[in-house]
Amino acid sequence: MEATDSKPSGAAAAPVAPSAPQPSSSTAQPPSPPHSQAEHKADINTSIDLSDDTTPPFSPSSQTPVIPKEQEEFEGSVDVNNDIPTAKDLSRVADLLVLDAQGESRPFKELYQAPLIAPRQLIIFIRHFFCGNCQEYLRTLSSSIKADALLALPTPTSIVVIGCGRPELIPMYTEATACPFPIYADPSRKLYDYLGMTRTFDLGSKPQYMQTNVLINSVQSIFQGLSSGRKALKGGDLKQVGGEFLFEHGECVWARRMKTTRDHTEVSEIRTLIGLDDTRPPVRRKWSHDIKGQQKEKRRSMSWGRLRSKSKSTKDAPRDESKGSTPERIVEEDPKQMVGSPTI
């Protein structure tokens, strides 16, 4: 009997043992996912937001980083650097296609390691084809660095320009900038992506190569877009910024990426980099003054030409006095002889 009495008492003590109350089902928290799953979920959300916010018309799968708004004033660090592309990076871009003005394509690697090109190439990535800042940069660069000076260097050098718009705008861009260097197009912007160039709207500080007013550049850019008609939307991604890359014997030896829409490498620095002196670019005539000067000179030459033609025609024209023809040139009579002369 004592044994049977002890069993129920032991069984009754078991459920009373836990002293803390069990949490109710209404307050129970769901189990948190593992750390790796949480990171994967965050990455998915980030990539979705990035593609929705930054995808340009020509590159649906682009993942080019965008400088956040809090970094656009460049008070802190930005997600862009001047690291030289690695061999892996160059292998990704080697076979990407660029287009010339006729729409014919060629691999990117042919610009810096083809058999019949110069041993050294400076490849300049510009913004969209209607960007007045990049157009001003190429005007200053073209007026300061000539093709014959590049070929006369100890290491012959060539310059190539690549934009992110459609290739049919290259002739307009060449005429607007008077650029003597070859210009190509990368509408997909994959070269910009893989080579680490970013996107922003920030102007930054005014560089030395800018010789015209910001307002003039803006008006000129708008006018070019409007005058191009249907091509106005084919200039390229407005936020994309570029950079400069120097290749020597097929390898990239120097790189600089833009942080603002006017952050091209100064022309004096480019001259020093490729082996020329650091002479500052010559001051070009202002765009508006140049137009007025051309028109004034044209009117002056036309008026002088008319005077010469009239003078020649009056000098060479025969005078037929028998027929009473009036000569082309009337010689003014002496006023003294005209005094007191009878009138009919």
Side-chain angles (χ1 to χ4, degrees), residues 51 54-64 186-190 193:
S51 61
T54 67
T55 299
F58 304 116
S59 183
S61 60
S62 175
Q63 298 295 324
T64 307
D186 173 29
S188 68
R189 297 194 306 106
K190 290 184 178 180
D193 294 357

Side-chain angles (χ1 to χ4, degrees), residues 33 35-48:
H35 183 67
S36 60
Q37 294 183 11
E39 284 186 0
H40 181 68
K41 183 176 181 181
D43 293 340
I44 293 176
N45 293 336
T46 303
S47 62
I48 292 176

